[in-house]
Amino acid sequence: MMYNDWIFCADGEFMHLAYSASILSFLGGVRWGLTLSAGSKELPNWRNLTYSVTPSLLAWSGVLLQSPLGYVPMTIGLLGAGIIDIAWAGYPPWFKILRTILTIGALTSIGLLFRVKYNSDKSLGVTASIKGFKDKYYDWKNGTGPPGS
C-alpha cells in the first residue's frame, strides 16, 4: 500500500496481513510467558493456556483466508486480545497502557489499509487482478479458453 499517491499494491496488503498475524501470534506468546514464568500469579490452567494459543490460531486462519476476509479474524483477535489483556490480572499498569496504544495503532492501520484499498483509483494488482480473474473465468466458462490458448 502506498498512501502518499493513493496507489494500492496487493503485495503490500499481503505483507500487512502477515505482519498483523505475527503481532497477534506474539501476543499469545506474551500470555504464555506470563503464565509459565516462575513466581507468576497466573496458574498454567486451561483458561490461561488456551488463551495463549487462541491469538495464533486466529492470526493464521486470517492468513489462510486472505484479504479481505482474512482481516475479520485478525481484527477480532487484535481487539479481543487487547480487551482481555487489559482486563486480566498479572500485567503491570505500564503494559496495559502500552497494549491500549498498540491495539489502537494496529486497528487504525487495518482501517487505513481498507480506506486506501477501496478509495484508490490507481491500483497495482487488486482491481486489475479481480477483473482479470473474472475475464479468464468467464472466457473459460464460455469455451473460449484462457488468453493465448
Side-chain angles (χ1 to χ4, degrees):
M1 298 126 331
M2 296 179 213
Y3 185 74
N4 57 349
D5 287 332
W6 287 92
I7 297 174
F8 183 79
C9 177
D11 292 337
E13 181 182 22
F14 177 75
M15 288 185 276
H16 185 268
L17 187 66
Y19 186 64
S20 298
S22 300
I23 291 170
L24 197 49
S25 294
F26 174 78
L27 294 174
V30 170
R31 188 66 184 187
W32 186 274
L34 175 70
T35 300
L36 295 180
S37 65
S40 175
K41 296 177 185 175
E42 295 295 318
L43 300 174
N45 56 26
W46 279 103
R47 183 183 79 154
N48 286 329
L49 295 177
T50 300
Y51 170 71
S52 299
V53 175
T54 302
S56 296
L57 296 174
L58 286 171
W60 293 111
S61 66
V63 170
L64 292 173
L65 287 172
Q66 299 182 350
S67 181
L69 212 53
Y71 281 102
V72 173
M74 206 72 66
T75 303
I76 290 169
L78 287 167
L79 184 60
I83 291 169
I84 291 170
D85 283 349
I86 292 165
W88 276 15
Y91 293 123
W94 64 266
F95 181 80
K96 292 180 179 189
I97 293 169
L98 182 64
R99 281 289 287 122
T100 302
I101 293 168
L102 294 177
T103 298
I104 291 169
L107 294 174
T108 301
S109 175
I110 291 172
L112 286 174
L113 177 130
F114 279 100
R115 181 165 185 238
V116 171
K117 179 176 182 173
Y118 293 108
N119 289 334
S120 176
D121 57 346
K122 299 179 251 179
S123 178
L124 298 177
V126 176
T127 306
S129 66
I130 290 172
K131 183 182 180 320
F133 174 78
K134 286 180 180 177
D135 290 345
K136 287 178 188 175
Y137 173 74
Y138 289 120
D139 286 344
W140 171 78
K141 186 176 176 184
N142 295 326
T144 59
S149 63

